[in-house]
Amino acid sequence: MPRTSSSQRLTYVARRVILSPLSAAIWIGAILISARTGWSPIPIGAAIALQGAALLMRLNDKAYLARLLADQDADETSFSDTEVEERLGAMDFETRQRIRYIIQLQKEIAREARSSDVQDYARSELDRIATRLPVLVNQAIRIASRKQQLGRYLHHVDDRALQAYAANLKTRIEATADPVARKQYEQALKAREAELATYQAIAQASGRIDSQLENVEATFASWKARVIRLKTVDIGDVSAFSEGLVQELETLGSEIDLLDTSVMEALTPEQPAIVEIGTGAKL
């Protein structure tokens, strides 16, 4: 996943602080006081100082920065509701239902993590977890969309036809005495075997996406139960408990990224000619 630079992140944090309700209140108060004192520059100077102090305080607040930057990651990678529906509409029924359930679980986890009955000792940790989930949901939507790309390719390929074609070429090679013809048959066989290998790699990638999405669904369901436990049971070291969940979040995200990269590699090579089955098919 692309990451912004340190300077861009600093600019993002500064902008969020400057545009916060607190900053708005500071500037409105300063302008009103300045207007009542004959547009004295002192209130404006005080507002600048307070704004700088607020920014400095936020930059040293690790919990605030973690939450804010997690929000930025989610914003950068998130799909709009319209985009989500468009992508879901292009998916097969099983994948679409699985993604809808993953989205539902994410919303339920966020609702549990931010509900009014969350104990004060667990509130910040649960919010920390909830802010990271949308990124994983969007990763799941992306790899599910990749599966549809793979499916469109696989729909036009028949591996049995490819295997039969390769077997036929091997028979011709064995029966051909002419070295020139033999060489041409061998080149054709190599091309068809490469096509078959590409097909098999793409089919394997599609299967791995299915298993990864099932893993995401099961993991989200597990996290929901653990979040409920964290907010209802005094487990002692809350930060250590939530840190384990955050580590799992990061690990799952890395696994999805790795899978997405391997799928893109399967789609990147130039596609070989496809053996079409039907009227006028070539073998």
Side-chain angles (χ1 to χ4, degrees):
M1 295 172 62
R3 297 287 183 184
T4 52
S5 66
S6 297
S7 61
Q8 288 174 318
R9 292 207 158 200
L10 178 60
T11 301
Y12 176 79
V13 173
R15 185 171 65 251
R16 287 290 297 269
V17 172
I18 292 172
L19 297 177
S20 68
L22 175 62
S23 296
I26 290 173
W27 284 105
I28 291 173
I31 292 171
L32 290 175
I33 295 172
S34 180
R36 291 180 179 179
T37 57
W39 296 108
S40 169
I42 295 177
I44 302 301
I48 294 174
L50 286 173
Q51 185 70 86
L55 178 59
L56 184 62
M57 180 183 69
R58 288 303 195 184
L59 288 174
N60 286 282
D61 185 343
K62 293 182 179 179
Y64 173 81
L65 289 176
R67 185 169 64 255
L68 197 63
L69 295 177
D71 288 343
Q72 182 190 27
D73 286 339
D75 290 341
E76 289 175 347
T77 59
S78 64
F79 300 113
S80 66
D81 291 341
T82 301
E83 289 174 321
V84 170
E85 288 303 319
E86 288 178 352
R87 286 176 178 256
L88 288 174
M91 296 177 190
D92 61 88
F93 177 78
E94 182 180 354
T95 304
R96 181 167 60 250
Q97 292 302 104
R98 176 158 283 150
I99 291 296
R100 287 196 185 280
Y101 187 49
I102 288 172
I103 293 173
Q104 178 186 331
L105 285 170
Q106 181 262 319
K107 291 179 179 178
E108 290 175 356
I109 293 171
R111 185 167 58 248
E112 292 287 351
R114 292 164 175 158
S115 63
S116 59
D117 62 343
V118 174
Q119 300 298 318
D120 291 339
Y121 68 85
R123 188 173 300 279
S124 63
E125 295 298 333
L126 285 174
D127 185 68
R128 178 188 178 198
I129 293 167
T131 56
R132 292 176 180 242
L133 293 178
V135 176
L136 281 175
V137 171
N138 289 309
Q139 287 179 277
I141 292 173
R142 281 193 172 86
I143 62 170
S145 296
R146 297 272 191 254
K147 181 188 172 185
Q148 309 314 306
Q149 292 178 272
L150 298 177
R152 284 193 292 272
Y153 174 71
L154 297 177
H155 179 71
H156 297 288
V157 178
D158 188 325
D159 63 328
R160 288 176 298 180
L162 288 173
Q163 292 171 355
Y165 189 97
N168 184 40
L169 285 173
K170 290 178 181 178
T171 300
R172 292 186 181 184
I173 290 171
E174 294 174 356
T176 300
D178 181 2
V180 175
R182 176 186 289 271
K183 182 177 180 181
Q184 291 174 337
Y185 282 137
E186 288 173 345
Q187 290 174 343
L189 175 61
K190 184 177 180 181
R192 288 306 183 186
E193 287 178 337
E195 180 183 3
L196 182 59
T198 299
Y199 166 83
Q200 292 171 338
I202 291 177
Q204 183 183 65
S206 181
R208 287 180 178 178
I209 289 175
D210 278 334
S211 63
Q212 183 67 81
L213 290 176
E214 186 167 350
N215 181 37
V216 171
E217 178 185 330
T219 302
F220 269 46
S222 172
W223 285 342
K224 178 184 174 182
R226 294 166 72 180
V227 164
I228 292 174
R229 179 191 174 204
L230 179 58
K231 79 174 208 175
T232 57
V233 180
D234 186 355
I235 61 172
D237 192 350
V238 177
S239 61
F241 183 85
S242 65
E243 191 63 39
L245 280 178
V246 170
Q247 184 60 50
E248 289 181 25
L249 283 166
E250 293 177 350
T251 299
L252 182 57
S254 297
E255 289 175 353
I256 297 175
D257 275 343
L258 183 61
L259 175 59
D260 193 22
T261 299
S262 67
V263 170
M264 288 304 296
E265 289 175 351
L267 290 171
T268 297
E270 180 180 355
Q271 302 294 353
I274 297 172
V275 177
E276 298 181 355
I277 306 302
T279 304
K282 294 182 178 180
L283 293 177

